Amino acid sequence: MKKMLLLFSIMVLCFGCADDDVRRENPFLLDLRIDVTINTNLPQYNSLNFPGNAIYFGGQGNDGIIVVNAGPNILAWDASDPNEIPRGCTRLQIQGLVGQSTCETPNAYSLIDGQPLEDGNLQFGLFNYRVEENGNVIRIFN
């Protein structure tokens, strides 16, 4: 059991480092510092109390943040298409559990795992942020 726990810890550490390296290498998005809190008791964020819902939180990150209740946990993604230079059409629109740009050739991403849904040539998945939950308060930061 101890060996299994140690192996799991090493895997988490390795994958966590790899994710940060890929994030820093993305030429389209800035690694902006954020630290925001959302209170799900407030009406505009109440839908986050239920699995399968997502909201847009503007004014943070590259083009706002998409916050998702994925069932067992809350996820937070930068709302800018990670495979495009930011412009008017690259802010992802929420369509259920999919985030999609409005560019001429739109890119779509899963809001559950952050991976592209269609084009196998897209290099980057969604830019994620860390999330802490404390009762009805969600803290999103990096």
Side-chain angles (χ1 to χ4, degrees), residues 15-123:
F15 286 122
C17 295
D19 182 54
D20 287 345
D21 291 343
V22 170
R23 180 181 301 163
R24 286 188 201 107
E25 293 173 9
N26 186 323
F28 304 119
L29 301 179
L30 299 172
D31 190 9
L32 301 170
R33 295 288 166 216
I34 66 162
D35 193 346
V36 297
T37 57
I38 294 174
N39 186 332
T40 60
N41 285 329
L42 297 174
Q44 64 267 39
Y45 307 123
N46 184 266
S47 64
L48 290 174
N49 289 314
F50 308 98
N53 287 318
I55 59 121
Y56 172 78
F57 187 89
Q60 298 291 323
N62 287 278
D63 210 355
I65 300 169
I66 295 175
V67 185
V68 182
N69 183 331
N73 54 6
I74 301 291
L75 305 170
W77 309 102
D78 197 283
S80 189
D81 187 331
N83 290 288
E84 298 280 343
I85 296 170
R87 56 187 191 280
C89 65
T90 56
R91 188 183 115 205
L92 300 176
Q93 305 298 309
I94 299 169
Q95 299 173 0
L97 291 175
V98 172
Q100 184 169 348
S101 68
T102 58
C103 298
E104 189 174 317
T105 305
N107 295 329
Y109 302 86
S110 166
L111 295 178
I112 298 298
D113 65 11
Q115 295 306 302
L117 292 177
E118 298 169 15
D119 188 349
N121 295 323
L122 295 177
Q123 183 176 3

